[in-house]
């Protein structure tokens, strides 16, 4: 008897096949999922999302090239959706096909312009979408003259600090004081904006002013770093990919009131901005401690600061500083670098804006000092430069000389920093000190104001200072400050501080003993404090900043020219002092296709990297450039050419892994200098923890006239050596 056809099992529906494919995908059975998706697409060939899933299965099976046709077919079926193009871009990027990846991801961003993640990825790959330069060398455009059309305040380093900490110290307090007063002033100029620089994407972005002011207010009142309100406010403020590009216009003055020496690729970002928008740049120098006293700083800090300071000589149109002592330090260290930018004085002080009642209540909430307890205040980060060790030793001497009952508590406000071990070890090892000395951090500005109001007097010790804000705050509160007589402290303490001989512990002990045992003398000295001079409100400092920026002094009218005939090492390790070589190693890298400097030199990225070499030779002068190149881990076909009077033909060479080669490039000078382009193609993976794709490495260079036989002979001798 024949079987009834109605009893045969029905074939699975396309939806069931798709569900089976999804289940296999979720189980990471990629081959099974691929077979199911292909079966489904035989029935539903225009379902573009499943073409994307099919591409994923090929990619996960180790066949990224095989995934590309499926992503591209999905993109054809859904031309308005960014996902297929995005997936293709990721695969192309992993395959090392950088230019194709950059173009695909740029198309995805055009389809989803609101995607912060896509904006970040595309910014990282901009060096592959920019057209190669073809024009003869053009000298940098002249800096603007006259009053600024706009004031842009760079808050990059302040935002970096607030990402990790809530309680401001030192330089952060100065920035917050000046900017907070400036933004809140009803007389503020209309053309003020806040900007920041993202060193990972070489992008200047617009910082939201309302969010910035909200975070400043939260930082001042203090609280826990993990407070939800604080975390939400800072997260919304410090996300560059969610913010538009900074609306900087021609004629703008860009001013950094903080320290940009730790910001990755800062000056290259500044040069890139200047290439399209003529602006001035003004930097605030708070101190020169890493140059004057490197023994009190981290080695990395000294190296970063020296590079930053050297580069200022080629980038800054003006300098602001907090004291005449800092201006003198800047001039002394900048003199060997070339013409010194004009400097303006912005004296620091401390405002008395906090409510005395609220400040007292905030101070009472601290664990020490106890209510009603006498104490002396020392406000400073615990680091070797502040020399807490000497103050602790002086306190121990006072305890032994006067008796513990006659010596008040010493309250040290500040977080532990660099090389504080000796001071903390003395504190830990002495029971007498432990009973009389308290160290606490995370104290809000409000509570600190309460401590100034309650203390007997303050002490501040340091080997070197640009200004000394706690000294101003103490005197503004009407409390004497016992401080060493040197550097910027002479100016900060001028309204009435008690000075002791620098690093003279017996003199410090004598001054402290007088303050503790002779209340009448202490009161007489206190009555002579010029509180008005000490308490310059932050609006006063903000007004001085605006006046200095609105009427800029003209920088020295001298061209910035690369020294000819000298070997320029491209690495960043120096002897701790800024040099012209440091400045030019930073200055000559042009465009986006460079990685950061390392000790030995600098890697190029994939794509076209450019050197910009300004000089004063007549146009058409035959020039010779000697390059020392380092090969990447895999063979690299490199093309290079000069662009001076014209773009020279490309030359090719192959770098083999492990080799260092020297090559000579000849070109005629253009109007103002010479450029050199290196086409590294798609580069090769470096294999480091940053997953960098690199081209050739540049170790050093030397540019000279073709007829400079002495320089050419020196290059030959170096090569033979």
């Amino acid at each position: 008897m024949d079987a009834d056809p109605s009893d045969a099992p029905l074939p699975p529906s396309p939806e069931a096949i798709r569900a089976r494919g999804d289940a296999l995908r979720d189980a990471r059975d990629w081959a099974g999922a691929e077979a199911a998706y292909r079966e489904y697409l035989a029935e539903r060939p225009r379902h573009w999302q499943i073409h994307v899933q099919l591409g994923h299965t090929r990619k996960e099976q180790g066949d990224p090239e095989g995934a590309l046709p499926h992503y591209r077919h999905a993109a054809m079926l859904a031309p308005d959706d960014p996902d297929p193009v995005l997936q293709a871009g990721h695969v192309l990027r992993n395959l090392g096909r950088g230019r194709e990846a950059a173009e695909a991801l740029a198309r995805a961003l055009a389809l989803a312009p609101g995607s912060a993640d896509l904006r970040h990825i595309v910014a990282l790959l901009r060096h592959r979408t920019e057209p190669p330069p073809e024009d003869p060398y053009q000298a940098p455009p002249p800096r603007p003259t006259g009053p600024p059309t706009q004031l842009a305040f760079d808050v990059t380093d302040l935002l970096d600090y607030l990402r990790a900490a809530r309680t401001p110290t030192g330089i952060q307090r100065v920035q917050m004081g000046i900017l907070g007063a400036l933004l809140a002033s009803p007389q503020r100029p209309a053309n003020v904006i806040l900007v920041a620089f993202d060193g990972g994407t070489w992008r200047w972005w617009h910082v939201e002013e309302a969010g910035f002011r909200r975070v400043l207010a939260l930082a001042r009142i203090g609280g826990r770093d993990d407070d939800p309100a604080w975390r939400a406010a800072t997260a919304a403020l410090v996300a560059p990919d969610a913010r538009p590009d900074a609306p900087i216009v021609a004629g703008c003055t860009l001013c950094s009131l903080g320290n940009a020496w730790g910001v990755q690729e800062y000056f290259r970002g500044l040069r890139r901005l200047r290439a399209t928008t003529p602006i001035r740049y003004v930097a605030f120098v708070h101190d020169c401690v890493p140059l004057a006293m490197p023994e009190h700083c981290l080695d990395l800090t000294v190296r970063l600061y020296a590079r930053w300071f050297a580069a200022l000589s080629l980038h800054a149109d003006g300098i602001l500083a907090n004291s005449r002592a800092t201006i003198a330090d800047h001039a002394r260290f900048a003199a060997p670098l070339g013409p010194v930018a004009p400097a303006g004085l912005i004296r620091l002080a401390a405002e008395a804006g906090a409510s005395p009642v609220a400040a007292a209540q905030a101070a009472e909430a601290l664990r020490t000092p106890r209510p009603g307890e006498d104490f002396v205040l020392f406000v400073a980060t615990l680091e070797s430069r502040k020399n807490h060790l000497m103050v602790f030793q002086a306190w121990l001497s006072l305890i032994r000389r006067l008796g513990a009952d006659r010596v008040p508590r010493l309250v040290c406000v500040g977080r532990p920093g660099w090389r504080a071990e000796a001071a903390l070890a003395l504190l830990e090892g002495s029971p007498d000190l432990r009973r009389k000395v308290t160290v606490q951090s995370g104290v809000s500005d409000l509570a600190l104001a309460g401590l100034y109001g309650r203390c007997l007097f303050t002490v501040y010790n340091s080997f070197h200072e640009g200004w000394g804000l706690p000294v101003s705050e103490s005197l503004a509160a009407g409390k004497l400050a016992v401080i060493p007589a040197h550097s910027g402290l002479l100016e900060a303490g001028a309204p009435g501080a008690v000075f002791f001989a620098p690093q003279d512990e017996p003199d410090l002990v004598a001054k402290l003993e007088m303050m503790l045992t002779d209340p009448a003398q202490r009161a007489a000295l206190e009555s002579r404090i010029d509180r008005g001079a000490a308490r310059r409100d932050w609006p006063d400092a903000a007004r001085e900043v605006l006046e200095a920026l609105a009427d800029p002094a003209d920088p020295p009218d001298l061209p910035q020219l690369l020294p000819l005939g000298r070997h320029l090492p491209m690495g960043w390790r120096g002897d701790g002092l800024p040099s012209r070589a440091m400045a030019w190693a930073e200055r000559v890298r042009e465009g986006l296709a460079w990685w950061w400097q390392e000790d030995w030199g600098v890697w190029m990225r994939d794509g076209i990297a450019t050197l910009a070499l300004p000089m004063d030779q007549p146009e058409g002068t035959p020039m010779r450039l000697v390059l020392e190149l380092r090969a990447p881990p895999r063979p690299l076909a490199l093309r290079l050419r000069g662009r001076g009077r014209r773009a020279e033909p490309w030359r090719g060479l192959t770098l083999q892994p492990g080799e260092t080669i020297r090559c000579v490039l000849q070109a005629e000078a253009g109007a103002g200098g010479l450029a050199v382009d290196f086409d590294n193609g798609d580069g090769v993976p470096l294999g480091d923890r940053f997953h960098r794709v690199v081209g050739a490495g540049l170790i050093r260079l030397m540019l000279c006239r073709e007829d400079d036989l002495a320089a050419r002979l020196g290059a030959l001798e170096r090569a033979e050596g």
Side-chain angles (χ1 to χ4, degrees), residues 117-482:
D117 291 340
L118 260 177
R119 189 182 303 122
H120 181 79
I121 295 170
V122 169
L124 289 174
L125 296 175
R126 277 185 300 170
H127 66 292
R128 297 310 309 273
T129 56
E130 293 186 342
E134 297 292 345
D135 296 330
Y137 179 85
Q138 299 293 324
R143 307 287 170 81
T145 58
T149 60
Q150 180 187 51
L151 296 176
F153 288 95
D154 173 21
V155 294
T156 305
D157 65 304
L158 180 56
L159 296 187
D160 286 344
Y161 181 89
L162 294 173
R163 283 184 176 94
R166 180 168 185 170
T167 305
T169 64
I171 293 172
Q172 292 79 35
R173 297 181 68 203
V174 172
Q175 288 178 271
M176 292 168 66
I178 293 176
L179 285 174
L182 188 154
L183 296 175
S185 171
Q187 286 79 39
R188 57 173 279 185
N191 58 351
V192 171
I193 62 171
L194 301 176
V195 303
F197 176 65
D198 181 2
T201 59
W202 302 277
R203 175 174 169 262
W204 294 90
W205 55 283
H206 193 193
V207 177
E208 183 201 12
E209 182 180 322
F212 181 80
R213 295 174 67 175
R214 183 164 53 250
V215 166
L216 259 58
L218 289 171
R220 285 196 179 98
I221 64 175
R224 294 173 56 90
D225 291 352
D226 58 358
D227 171 42
W230 168 256
R231 300 314 309 167
T234 52
L237 178 67
V238 302
D241 296 322
R243 296 291 299 159
D245 290 345
I248 296 174
V249 301
C252 173
T253 292
L254 174 64
C255 178
S256 170
L257 294 176
N259 262 347
W261 50 261
V263 179
Q264 176 184 337
E265 300 292 2
Y266 187 80
F267 287 114
R268 196 143 60 94
L270 180 61
R271 291 195 300 278
R272 179 171 174 80
L273 176 61
R274 275 179 164 161
T276 57
T277 310
I279 64 167
R280 287 191 192 89
Y281 175 65
V282 176
F284 201 118
V285 177
H286 291 264
D287 60 61
C288 296
V289 169
L291 306 181
M293 295 195 166
E295 65 273 17
H296 294 295
C297 303
L298 284 163
D299 177 62
L300 178 62
T301 298
V302 174
R303 295 166 64 190
L304 286 171
Y305 189 93
R307 288 281 169 183
W308 172 80
F309 191 93
L312 275 183
S313 66
L314 297 178
H315 294 83
D317 300 291
I319 296 295
L320 301 178
N322 50 15
S323 66
R324 293 183 179 86
T326 299
I327 291 176
D329 284 346
H330 171 263
R332 173 164 59 98
F333 288 110
L337 305 175
V340 179
L345 176 63
I346 309 295
R347 293 178 298 118
L348 306 185
E351 61 182 341
S355 160
V357 174
Q361 290 174 343
E364 292 287 345
L366 299 173
R367 57 186 174 87
T368 52
R370 296 184 300 273
E373 181 182 19
D374 288 339
F375 66 96
V376 175
L377 185 62
F378 185 2
V379 179
T381 301
L382 272 76
E383 59 185 16
S384 66
R385 178 167 63 95
K386 305 298 185 181
N387 203 0
H388 285 71
L389 177 62
M390 178 175 160
V391 176
F392 290 174
Q393 289 169 333
W395 224 253
L396 195 56
S397 297
L398 290 170
I399 293 171
R400 291 169 177 168
R401 181 180 301 185
L402 303 177
D405 291 343
R406 298 182 64 193
V407 178
R409 179 177 299 279
L410 176 66
V411 175
C412 299
V413 173
R415 55 187 174 83
W418 171 241
R419 288 181 176 167
E421 295 84 0
L424 293 176
L426 178 64
L427 179 59
E428 178 64 26
S430 169
D432 288 338
L433 278 181
R434 289 202 304 273
R435 284 191 290 268
K436 287 292 183 177
V437 176
T438 301
V439 176
Q440 52 188 331
S441 58
V443 176
S444 70
D445 281 2
L446 189 63
L448 184 59
L451 291 177
Y452 280 122
R454 275 193 52 202
C455 69
L456 296 173
F457 59 90
T458 70
V459 62
Y460 189 82
N461 195 26
S462 175
F463 285 99
H464 192 90
E465 285 296 321
W467 177 259
L469 191 57
V471 176
S472 297
E473 292 171 332
S474 177
L475 297 174
K479 297 303 175 74
L480 290 168
V482 181

Side-chain angles (χ1 to χ4, degrees), residues 595-614:
W595 290 109
W596 53 82
Q597 290 173 285
E598 302 179 45
D599 287 346
W600 59 268
V602 59
W603 287 114
M604 302 174 204
R605 304 182 74 187
D606 54 328
I608 296 179
T610 296
L611 291 173
L613 310 173

Side-chain angles (χ1 to χ4, degrees), residues 570 594 600-604 609 611 625-632 636 638-640 651-665 676-680 695-701:
M570 294 299 294
W594 295 92
W600 59 268
V602 59
W603 287 114
M604 302 174 204
L611 291 173
L625 179 66
V626 181
L627 300 163
E628 187 172 347
L629 301 173
R630 175 177 178 174
L636 177 76
L638 176 69
R639 297 194 308 156
L640 63 165
R651 293 176 50 190
L653 57 91
T654 300
L655 300 177
Q656 298 296 336
E659 73 176 352
T660 298
I661 69 168
R662 294 172 180 85
C663 66
V664 174
L665 199 64
V676 182
D677 302 318
F678 303 84
D679 185 354
N680 296 278
L698 181 59
I699 300 172
R700 62 177 52 86
L701 62 87

